[in-house]
Amino acid sequence: MADTAKGARHRGIARRAAGVAAVAAVCAGLTWTALALTGTPADSKAPAAAAAACSYTATGGGAKGLGLPVHDPARARPYRAELVTEQGKVVIEALTEAAPCSTTSFAFLAGKKYFDGSTCHRVTTRGIFVLECGDPAGLGTADPGYFFPDENLDGATYPAGTVAMSKAVPGRNGSQFFLSYADPDFRMQPDWTPFARVVSGLDVLRKIAAKGTEDGATDGRPKEPVVIKEVTVRRPAA
C-alpha cells in the first residue's frame, strides 16, 4: 500500500460511498461496498474449524524482529483493550470466539507496542462513518510483516461500535482497522472482518469525527491529529 495504492484506496472508499448514497450502480474494483445493517458483529459466529486454524504469512516487511503471532485455541481468552488517544480513551471488547485470528493478531501487536504513538490516518463523514487506524507511520500503508485471511464474514454488519479489519486486498489483513462511530447510511458488503466492539468511548470517536477532515472533504485525514498513545490489553483472571 505505497503512495499509489494509498491514493487508489482512498479514492475507492470515497467513490463507493458516494455511489451508493446516490443510488448508483455498484462499481467493481473499489474498496468499500454497500451492504445491509442488520444485527451486530457479535451475531456472527465463525465455523468451528476456523478457531483451530489461524495462519500468519510473513511478507518480509514490517518492523524488524516483530515476528509472527501464534494462536493457541486452548489458551484463547476474551479480552478488552484500552486505546488511549490524545482526545480520549476508547475501550473495545475482542470477539475472540468469532474472530480468533484477528483478535490474536491485535493482542500480539498491542503487546509489541506496535500501535503506540501511531496516528489514525482517516475519518469518513458521509455514507460510512469510521475512524481508521493501525499504521505506525499514519499513512494507511502499514505492513506489520505478515498477513492473515478474512474470517467472521458470514452475515457481518458494521453498525456503530463495530471494530473491523481494514484492507485493500481481499484476504490480506495486517494491522490496520476501523472503528464505526455511527450506523452507515447503506448496506455494506460483509468484506471486512469484525473482531471487536466498542464498549466505551463512542463519544470520543464522534467528537473526533465532528471536527471533520484536514481539507473539509468527507473522507480524509482527521482535522486534528488522533495519536494513539498506547494500547493495553486486559484479560480477565483465569
mmCIF file of all heavy atoms in Angstrom, residues 156-199:
data_model
loop_
_atom_site.group_PDB
_atom_site.id
_atom_site.type_symbol
_atom_site.label_atom_id
_atom_site.label_comp_id
_atom_site.label_asym_id
_atom_site.label_seq_id
_atom_site.Cartn_x
_atom_site.Cartn_y
_atom_site.Cartn_z
ATOM 1 N N ALA A 156 -21.822 -10.575 8.384
ATOM 2 C CA ALA A 156 -21.177 -9.443 9.055
ATOM 3 C C ALA A 156 -21.842 -8.114 8.712
ATOM 4 O O ALA A 156 -22.215 -7.869 7.568
ATOM 5 C CB ALA A 156 -19.699 -9.378 8.684
ATOM 6 N N THR A 157 -22.004 -7.269 9.717
ATOM 7 C CA THR A 157 -22.542 -5.920 9.539
ATOM 8 C C THR A 157 -21.656 -4.946 10.309
ATOM 9 O O THR A 157 -20.829 -5.357 11.125
ATOM 10 C CB THR A 157 -23.998 -5.834 10.049
ATOM 11 O OG1 THR A 157 -24.027 -6.211 11.432
ATOM 12 C CG2 THR A 157 -24.914 -6.744 9.239
ATOM 13 N N TYR A 158 -21.854 -3.653 10.052
ATOM 14 C CA TYR A 158 -20.926 -2.662 10.594
ATOM 15 C C TYR A 158 -21.630 -1.468 11.231
ATOM 16 O O TYR A 158 -21.372 -0.321 10.883
ATOM 17 C CB TYR A 158 -19.989 -2.206 9.473
ATOM 18 C CG TYR A 158 -19.332 -3.378 8.776
ATOM 19 C CD1 TYR A 158 -19.934 -3.959 7.652
ATOM 20 C CD2 TYR A 158 -18.162 -3.937 9.262
ATOM 21 C CE1 TYR A 158 -19.360 -5.070 7.035
ATOM 22 C CE2 TYR A 158 -17.582 -5.045 8.656
ATOM 23 C CZ TYR A 158 -18.184 -5.608 7.539
ATOM 24 O OH TYR A 158 -17.629 -6.699 6.941
ATOM 25 N N PRO A 159 -22.511 -1.726 12.192
ATOM 26 C CA PRO A 159 -23.194 -0.625 12.870
ATOM 27 C C PRO A 159 -22.238 0.119 13.809
ATOM 28 O O PRO A 159 -21.076 -0.287 13.977
ATOM 29 C CB PRO A 159 -24.290 -1.339 13.654
ATOM 30 C CG PRO A 159 -23.691 -2.674 13.962
ATOM 31 C CD PRO A 159 -22.913 -3.033 12.723
ATOM 32 N N ALA A 160 -22.735 1.191 14.400
ATOM 33 C CA ALA A 160 -21.932 1.953 15.353
ATOM 34 C C ALA A 160 -21.364 1.030 16.421
ATOM 35 O O ALA A 160 -22.053 0.156 16.938
ATOM 36 C CB ALA A 160 -22.798 3.032 16.000
ATOM 37 N N GLY A 161 -20.083 1.210 16.726
ATOM 38 C CA GLY A 161 -19.433 0.386 17.736
ATOM 39 C C GLY A 161 -18.663 -0.785 17.181
ATOM 40 O O GLY A 161 -17.928 -1.448 17.910
ATOM 41 N N THR A 162 -18.781 -1.039 15.881
ATOM 42 C CA THR A 162 -18.042 -2.136 15.264
ATOM 43 C C THR A 162 -16.559 -1.786 15.133
ATOM 44 O O THR A 162 -16.201 -0.664 14.784
ATOM 45 C CB THR A 162 -18.591 -2.435 13.850
ATOM 46 O OG1 THR A 162 -19.958 -2.794 13.945
ATOM 47 C CG2 THR A 162 -17.817 -3.569 13.188
ATOM 48 N N VAL A 163 -15.714 -2.757 15.398
ATOM 49 C CA VAL A 163 -14.282 -2.625 15.130
ATOM 50 C C VAL A 163 -13.932 -3.746 14.158
ATOM 51 O O VAL A 163 -14.186 -4.921 14.445
ATOM 52 C CB VAL A 163 -13.436 -2.761 16.410
ATOM 53 C CG1 VAL A 163 -11.967 -2.453 16.104
ATOM 54 C CG2 VAL A 163 -13.957 -1.843 17.506
ATOM 55 N N ALA A 164 -13.400 -3.401 12.998
ATOM 56 C CA ALA A 164 -13.144 -4.405 11.964
ATOM 57 C C ALA A 164 -11.798 -4.174 11.298
ATOM 58 O O ALA A 164 -11.257 -3.064 11.308
ATOM 59 C CB ALA A 164 -14.260 -4.371 10.911
ATOM 60 N N MET A 165 -11.273 -5.241 10.727
ATOM 61 C CA MET A 165 -10.010 -5.143 9.997
ATOM 62 C C MET A 165 -10.217 -4.331 8.722
ATOM 63 O O MET A 165 -11.258 -4.418 8.072
ATOM 64 C CB MET A 165 -9.485 -6.536 9.637
ATOM 65 C CG MET A 165 -9.142 -7.419 10.819
ATOM 66 S SD MET A 165 -7.966 -6.685 11.982
ATOM 67 C CE MET A 165 -6.538 -6.369 10.914
ATOM 68 N N SER A 166 -9.216 -3.546 8.384
ATOM 69 C CA SER A 166 -9.250 -2.746 7.164
ATOM 70 C C SER A 166 -8.178 -3.262 6.221
ATOM 71 O O SER A 166 -7.055 -3.542 6.645
ATOM 72 C CB SER A 166 -8.986 -1.275 7.508
ATOM 73 O OG SER A 166 -8.937 -0.476 6.357
ATOM 74 N N LYS A 167 -8.524 -3.390 4.956
ATOM 75 C CA LYS A 167 -7.567 -3.922 3.989
ATOM 76 C C LYS A 167 -7.885 -3.396 2.603
ATOM 77 O O LYS A 167 -8.990 -2.933 2.336
ATOM 78 C CB LYS A 167 -7.614 -5.447 3.991
ATOM 79 C CG LYS A 167 -8.971 -5.991 3.530
ATOM 80 C CD LYS A 167 -9.014 -7.506 3.611
ATOM 81 C CE LYS A 167 -10.302 -8.056 3.012
ATOM 82 N NZ LYS A 167 -11.512 -7.614 3.749
ATOM 83 N N ALA A 168 -6.913 -3.481 1.693
ATOM 84 C CA ALA A 168 -7.129 -3.089 0.309
ATOM 85 C C ALA A 168 -7.263 -4.305 -0.592
ATOM 86 O O ALA A 168 -7.839 -4.234 -1.666
ATOM 87 C CB ALA A 168 -5.976 -2.218 -0.184
ATOM 88 N N VAL A 169 -6.739 -5.435 -0.139
ATOM 89 C CA VAL A 169 -6.755 -6.667 -0.933
ATOM 90 C C VAL A 169 -7.483 -7.756 -0.144
ATOM 91 O O VAL A 169 -7.170 -7.990 1.025
ATOM 92 C CB VAL A 169 -5.319 -7.136 -1.254
ATOM 93 C CG1 VAL A 169 -5.351 -8.439 -2.047
ATOM 94 C CG2 VAL A 169 -4.555 -6.058 -1.999
ATOM 95 N N PRO A 170 -8.467 -8.414 -0.744
ATOM 96 C CA PRO A 170 -9.195 -9.480 -0.039
ATOM 97 C C PRO A 170 -8.256 -10.534 0.530
ATOM 98 O O PRO A 170 -7.321 -10.984 -0.135
ATOM 99 C CB PRO A 170 -10.095 -10.064 -1.137
ATOM 100 C CG PRO A 170 -10.308 -8.932 -2.080
ATOM 101 C CD PRO A 170 -8.990 -8.198 -2.111
ATOM 102 N N GLY A 171 -8.495 -10.920 1.771
ATOM 103 C CA GLY A 171 -7.711 -11.979 2.377
ATOM 104 C C GLY A 171 -6.343 -11.581 2.870
ATOM 105 O O GLY A 171 -5.566 -12.433 3.304
ATOM 106 N N ARG A 172 -6.025 -10.276 2.847
ATOM 107 C CA ARG A 172 -4.703 -9.829 3.312
ATOM 108 C C ARG A 172 -4.867 -8.806 4.441
ATOM 109 O O ARG A 172 -4.676 -7.610 4.259
ATOM 110 C CB ARG A 172 -3.882 -9.238 2.163
ATOM 111 C CG ARG A 172 -3.416 -10.272 1.154
ATOM 112 C CD ARG A 172 -2.545 -9.623 0.093
ATOM 113 N NE ARG A 172 -1.262 -9.160 0.622
ATOM 114 C CZ ARG A 172 -0.140 -9.868 0.586
ATOM 115 N NH1 ARG A 172 -0.148 -11.101 0.078
ATOM 116 N NH2 ARG A 172 0.982 -9.380 1.061
ATOM 117 N N ASN A 173 -5.249 -9.312 5.597
ATOM 118 C CA ASN A 173 -5.366 -8.452 6.770
ATOM 119 C C ASN A 173 -4.012 -8.305 7.434
ATOM 120 O O ASN A 173 -3.222 -9.250 7.462
ATOM 121 C CB ASN A 173 -6.349 -9.075 7.767
ATOM 122 C CG ASN A 173 -7.735 -9.232 7.170
ATOM 123 O OD1 ASN A 173 -8.443 -8.268 6.956
ATOM 124 N ND2 ASN A 173 -8.122 -10.479 6.882
ATOM 125 N N GLY A 174 -3.766 -7.119 7.982
ATOM 126 C CA GLY A 174 -2.496 -6.880 8.659
ATOM 127 C C GLY A 174 -2.723 -6.205 9.996
ATOM 128 O O GLY A 174 -3.210 -6.823 10.936
ATOM 129 N N SER A 175 -2.387 -4.926 10.082
ATOM 130 C CA SER A 175 -2.518 -4.209 11.351
ATOM 131 C C SER A 175 -3.597 -3.137 11.330
ATOM 132 O O SER A 175 -4.025 -2.662 12.385
ATOM 133 C CB SER A 175 -1.184 -3.538 11.703
ATOM 134 O OG SER A 175 -0.840 -2.553 10.730
ATOM 135 N N GLN A 176 -4.050 -2.730 10.150
ATOM 136 C CA GLN A 176 -4.987 -1.621 10.080
ATOM 137 C C GLN A 176 -6.424 -2.056 10.399
ATOM 138 O O GLN A 176 -6.836 -3.154 10.064
ATOM 139 C CB GLN A 176 -4.914 -0.974 8.701
ATOM 140 C CG GLN A 176 -3.555 -0.344 8.435
ATOM 141 C CD GLN A 176 -3.483 0.319 7.078
ATOM 142 O OE1 GLN A 176 -4.198 1.272 6.809
ATOM 143 N NE2 GLN A 176 -2.612 -0.198 6.216
ATOM 144 N N PHE A 177 -7.148 -1.156 11.044
ATOM 145 C CA PHE A 177 -8.510 -1.454 11.468
ATOM 146 C C PHE A 177 -9.332 -0.178 11.480
ATOM 147 O O PHE A 177 -8.785 0.932 11.434
ATOM 148 C CB PHE A 177 -8.507 -2.087 12.866
ATOM 149 C CG PHE A 177 -7.903 -1.213 13.935
ATOM 150 C CD1 PHE A 177 -8.703 -0.379 14.711
ATOM 151 C CD2 PHE A 177 -6.525 -1.222 14.167
ATOM 152 C CE1 PHE A 177 -8.152 0.439 15.695
ATOM 153 C CE2 PHE A 177 -5.960 -0.404 15.153
ATOM 154 C CZ PHE A 177 -6.773 0.418 15.916
ATOM 155 N N PHE A 178 -10.656 -0.329 11.490
ATOM 156 C CA PHE A 178 -11.508 0.853 11.598
ATOM 157 C C PHE A 178 -12.525 0.666 12.707
ATOM 158 O O PHE A 178 -12.903 -0.454 13.055
ATOM 159 C CB PHE A 178 -12.193 1.194 10.267
ATOM 160 C CG PHE A 178 -13.180 0.176 9.760
ATOM 161 C CD1 PHE A 178 -14.497 0.153 10.204
ATOM 162 C CD2 PHE A 178 -12.805 -0.754 8.786
ATOM 163 C CE1 PHE A 178 -15.413 -0.772 9.720
ATOM 164 C CE2 PHE A 178 -13.711 -1.683 8.292
ATOM 165 C CZ PHE A 178 -15.029 -1.689 8.760
ATOM 166 N N LEU A 179 -12.950 1.793 13.267
ATOM 167 C CA LEU A 179 -13.954 1.820 14.316
ATOM 168 C C LEU A 179 -15.145 2.620 13.806
ATOM 169 O O LEU A 179 -14.991 3.781 13.407
ATOM 170 C CB LEU A 179 -13.408 2.476 15.587
ATOM 171 C CG LEU A 179 -12.111 1.886 16.161
ATOM 172 C CD1 LEU A 179 -10.923 2.753 15.741
ATOM 173 C CD2 LEU A 179 -12.158 1.823 17.676
ATOM 174 N N SER A 180 -16.316 2.003 13.792
ATOM 175 C CA SER A 180 -17.526 2.688 13.323
ATOM 176 C C SER A 180 -18.099 3.524 14.469
ATOM 177 O O SER A 180 -18.339 3.006 15.551
ATOM 178 C CB SER A 180 -18.576 1.674 12.856
ATOM 179 O OG SER A 180 -18.094 0.924 11.762
ATOM 180 N N TYR A 181 -18.328 4.810 14.205
ATOM 181 C CA TYR A 181 -18.879 5.663 15.255
ATOM 182 C C TYR A 181 -20.362 5.968 15.025
ATOM 183 O O TYR A 181 -21.019 6.578 15.866
ATOM 184 C CB TYR A 181 -18.078 6.967 15.370
ATOM 185 C CG TYR A 181 -18.105 7.852 14.145
ATOM 186 C CD1 TYR A 181 -19.117 8.787 13.962
ATOM 187 C CD2 TYR A 181 -17.109 7.760 13.174
ATOM 188 C CE1 TYR A 181 -19.134 9.612 12.837
ATOM 189 C CE2 TYR A 181 -17.122 8.561 12.057
ATOM 190 C CZ TYR A 181 -18.128 9.490 11.895
ATOM 191 O OH TYR A 181 -18.146 10.296 10.779
ATOM 192 N N ALA A 182 -20.907 5.529 13.886
ATOM 193 C CA ALA A 182 -22.335 5.692 13.594
ATOM 194 C C ALA A 182 -22.743 4.631 12.578
ATOM 195 O O ALA A 182 -21.888 4.088 11.855
ATOM 196 C CB ALA A 182 -22.629 7.088 13.039
ATOM 197 N N ASP A 183 -24.037 4.322 12.514
ATOM 198 C CA ASP A 183 -24.514 3.356 11.531
ATOM 199 C C ASP A 183 -24.310 3.894 10.121
ATOM 200 O O ASP A 183 -24.580 5.072 9.862
ATOM 201 C CB ASP A 183 -26.010 3.084 11.724
ATOM 202 C CG ASP A 183 -26.320 2.371 13.031
ATOM 203 O OD1 ASP A 183 -25.367 1.877 13.677
ATOM 204 O OD2 ASP A 183 -27.503 2.315 13.402
ATOM 205 N N PRO A 184 -23.858 3.066 9.187
ATOM 206 C CA PRO A 184 -23.718 3.501 7.793
ATOM 207 C C PRO A 184 -25.073 3.907 7.215
ATOM 208 O O PRO A 184 -26.125 3.486 7.710
ATOM 209 C CB PRO A 184 -23.170 2.263 7.082
ATOM 210 C CG PRO A 184 -22.574 1.430 8.164
ATOM 211 C CD PRO A 184 -23.423 1.670 9.360
ATOM 212 N N ASP A 185 -25.043 4.696 6.157
ATOM 213 C CA ASP A 185 -26.278 5.132 5.503
ATOM 214 C C ASP A 185 -26.826 4.068 4.564
ATOM 215 O O ASP A 185 -27.910 4.228 4.013
ATOM 216 C CB ASP A 185 -26.033 6.413 4.689
ATOM 217 C CG ASP A 185 -25.949 7.640 5.579
ATOM 218 O OD1 ASP A 185 -26.439 7.579 6.729
ATOM 219 O OD2 ASP A 185 -25.389 8.653 5.129
ATOM 220 N N PHE A 186 -26.062 3.014 4.348
ATOM 221 C CA PHE A 186 -26.464 1.983 3.400
ATOM 222 C C PHE A 186 -25.906 0.636 3.830
ATOM 223 O O PHE A 186 -25.125 0.548 4.763
ATOM 224 C CB PHE A 186 -25.977 2.327 1.988
ATOM 225 C CG PHE A 186 -24.521 2.702 1.944
ATOM 226 C CD1 PHE A 186 -23.522 1.742 1.983
ATOM 227 C CD2 PHE A 186 -24.147 4.037 1.876
ATOM 228 C CE1 PHE A 186 -22.193 2.086 1.958
ATOM 229 C CE2 PHE A 186 -22.811 4.392 1.837
ATOM 230 C CZ PHE A 186 -21.830 3.422 1.875
ATOM 231 N N ARG A 187 -26.325 -0.398 3.135
ATOM 232 C CA ARG A 187 -25.883 -1.748 3.458
ATOM 233 C C ARG A 187 -24.486 -1.993 2.895
ATOM 234 O O ARG A 187 -24.248 -1.805 1.712
ATOM 235 C CB ARG A 187 -26.881 -2.765 2.893
ATOM 236 C CG ARG A 187 -28.286 -2.600 3.461
ATOM 237 C CD ARG A 187 -29.299 -3.431 2.689
ATOM 238 N NE ARG A 187 -29.274 -4.824 3.063
ATOM 239 C CZ ARG A 187 -30.070 -5.349 3.985
ATOM 240 N NH1 ARG A 187 -30.953 -4.583 4.612
ATOM 241 N NH2 ARG A 187 -30.013 -6.624 4.283
ATOM 242 N N MET A 188 -23.604 -2.415 3.744
ATOM 243 C CA MET A 188 -22.228 -2.693 3.331
ATOM 244 C C MET A 188 -22.026 -4.189 3.138
ATOM 245 O O MET A 188 -22.540 -4.992 3.914
ATOM 246 C CB MET A 188 -21.247 -2.169 4.390
ATOM 247 C CG MET A 188 -21.226 -0.667 4.524
ATOM 248 S SD MET A 188 -20.291 -0.114 5.993
ATOM 249 C CE MET A 188 -18.672 -0.824 5.661
ATOM 250 N N GLN A 189 -21.283 -4.544 2.118
ATOM 251 C CA GLN A 189 -20.983 -5.953 1.906
ATOM 252 C C GLN A 189 -20.130 -6.474 3.059
ATOM 253 O O GLN A 189 -19.306 -5.733 3.609
ATOM 254 C CB GLN A 189 -20.233 -6.150 0.585
ATOM 255 C CG GLN A 189 -21.115 -5.948 -0.635
ATOM 256 C CD GLN A 189 -20.394 -6.282 -1.920
ATOM 257 O OE1 GLN A 189 -19.170 -6.389 -1.946
ATOM 258 N NE2 GLN A 189 -21.140 -6.427 -2.989
ATOM 259 N N PRO A 190 -20.279 -7.727 3.440
ATOM 260 C CA PRO A 190 -19.500 -8.297 4.549
ATOM 261 C C PRO A 190 -18.087 -8.658 4.111
ATOM 262 O O PRO A 190 -17.720 -9.833 4.009
ATOM 263 C CB PRO A 190 -20.322 -9.542 4.919
ATOM 264 C CG PRO A 190 -20.937 -9.970 3.631
ATOM 265 C CD PRO A 190 -21.278 -8.682 2.912
ATOM 266 N N ASP A 191 -17.288 -7.648 3.854
ATOM 267 C CA ASP A 191 -15.942 -7.855 3.335
ATOM 268 C C ASP A 191 -14.833 -7.604 4.353
ATOM 269 O O ASP A 191 -13.675 -7.911 4.088
ATOM 270 C CB ASP A 191 -15.692 -6.940 2.128
ATOM 271 C CG ASP A 191 -16.488 -7.354 0.903
ATOM 272 O OD1 ASP A 191 -16.914 -8.521 0.845
ATOM 273 O OD2 ASP A 191 -16.689 -6.511 0.011
ATOM 274 N N TRP A 192 -15.169 -7.028 5.500
ATOM 275 C CA TRP A 192 -14.161 -6.649 6.483
ATOM 276 C C TRP A 192 -14.434 -7.370 7.798
ATOM 277 O O TRP A 192 -15.521 -7.260 8.355
ATOM 278 C CB TRP A 192 -14.149 -5.127 6.676
ATOM 279 C CG TRP A 192 -13.890 -4.437 5.382
ATOM 280 C CD1 TRP A 192 -12.677 -4.167 4.814
ATOM 281 C CD2 TRP A 192 -14.869 -3.976 4.448
ATOM 282 N NE1 TRP A 192 -12.845 -3.563 3.593
ATOM 283 C CE2 TRP A 192 -14.187 -3.429 3.335
ATOM 284 C CE3 TRP A 192 -16.274 -3.962 4.435
ATOM 285 C CZ2 TRP A 192 -14.836 -2.886 2.245
ATOM 286 C CZ3 TRP A 192 -16.924 -3.422 3.335
ATOM 287 C CH2 TRP A 192 -16.204 -2.891 2.262
ATOM 288 N N THR A 193 -13.470 -8.074 8.289
ATOM 289 C CA THR A 193 -13.629 -8.914 9.474
ATOM 290 C C THR A 193 -13.954 -8.110 10.733
ATOM 291 O O THR A 193 -13.108 -7.371 11.239
ATOM 292 C CB THR A 193 -12.343 -9.717 9.726
ATOM 293 O OG1 THR A 193 -12.135 -10.618 8.638
ATOM 294 C CG2 THR A 193 -12.436 -10.500 11.032
ATOM 295 N N PRO A 194 -15.157 -8.258 11.293
ATOM 296 C CA PRO A 194 -15.457 -7.639 12.582
ATOM 297 C C PRO A 194 -14.756 -8.457 13.668
ATOM 298 O O PRO A 194 -14.944 -9.672 13.739
ATOM 299 C CB PRO A 194 -16.987 -7.761 12.711
ATOM 300 C CG PRO A 194 -17.468 -8.175 11.345
ATOM 301 C CD PRO A 194 -16.338 -8.943 10.752
ATOM 302 N N PHE A 195 -13.941 -7.816 14.491
ATOM 303 C CA PHE A 195 -13.218 -8.582 15.509
ATOM 304 C C PHE A 195 -13.376 -8.016 16.917
ATOM 305 O O PHE A 195 -12.861 -8.589 17.887
ATOM 306 C CB PHE A 195 -11.730 -8.677 15.155
ATOM 307 C CG PHE A 195 -10.961 -7.383 15.301
ATOM 308 C CD1 PHE A 195 -10.313 -7.069 16.494
ATOM 309 C CD2 PHE A 195 -10.881 -6.485 14.250
ATOM 310 C CE1 PHE A 195 -9.589 -5.888 16.634
ATOM 311 C CE2 PHE A 195 -10.174 -5.300 14.380
ATOM 312 C CZ PHE A 195 -9.524 -5.005 15.579
ATOM 313 N N ALA A 196 -14.091 -6.911 17.052
ATOM 314 C CA ALA A 196 -14.302 -6.339 18.381
ATOM 315 C C ALA A 196 -15.467 -5.369 18.335
ATOM 316 O O ALA A 196 -15.984 -5.045 17.255
ATOM 317 C CB ALA A 196 -13.037 -5.621 18.868
ATOM 318 N N ARG A 197 -15.888 -4.905 19.511
ATOM 319 C CA ARG A 197 -16.926 -3.882 19.579
ATOM 320 C C ARG A 197 -16.528 -2.854 20.633
ATOM 321 O O ARG A 197 -15.870 -3.180 21.638
ATOM 322 C CB ARG A 197 -18.272 -4.501 19.930
ATOM 323 C CG ARG A 197 -18.286 -5.289 21.222
ATOM 324 C CD ARG A 197 -19.678 -5.829 21.528
ATOM 325 N NE ARG A 197 -19.608 -6.785 22.634
ATOM 326 C CZ ARG A 197 -19.963 -8.055 22.552
ATOM 327 N NH1 ARG A 197 -20.420 -8.554 21.418
ATOM 328 N NH2 ARG A 197 -19.869 -8.842 23.598
ATOM 329 N N VAL A 198 -16.918 -1.637 20.407
ATOM 330 C CA VAL A 198 -16.621 -0.553 21.345
ATOM 331 C C VAL A 198 -17.551 -0.682 22.548
ATOM 332 O O VAL A 198 -18.767 -0.736 22.387
ATOM 333 C CB VAL A 198 -16.809 0.828 20.676
ATOM 334 C CG1 VAL A 198 -16.590 1.943 21.697
ATOM 335 C CG2 VAL A 198 -15.858 0.983 19.489
ATOM 336 N N VAL A 199 -16.981 -0.727 23.736
ATOM 337 C CA VAL A 199 -17.802 -0.802 24.948
ATOM 338 C C VAL A 199 -17.807 0.519 25.710
ATOM 339 O O VAL A 199 -18.677 0.753 26.547
ATOM 340 C CB VAL A 199 -17.356 -1.950 25.870
ATOM 341 C CG1 VAL A 199 -17.610 -3.291 25.209
ATOM 342 C CG2 VAL A 199 -15.884 -1.826 26.254
#
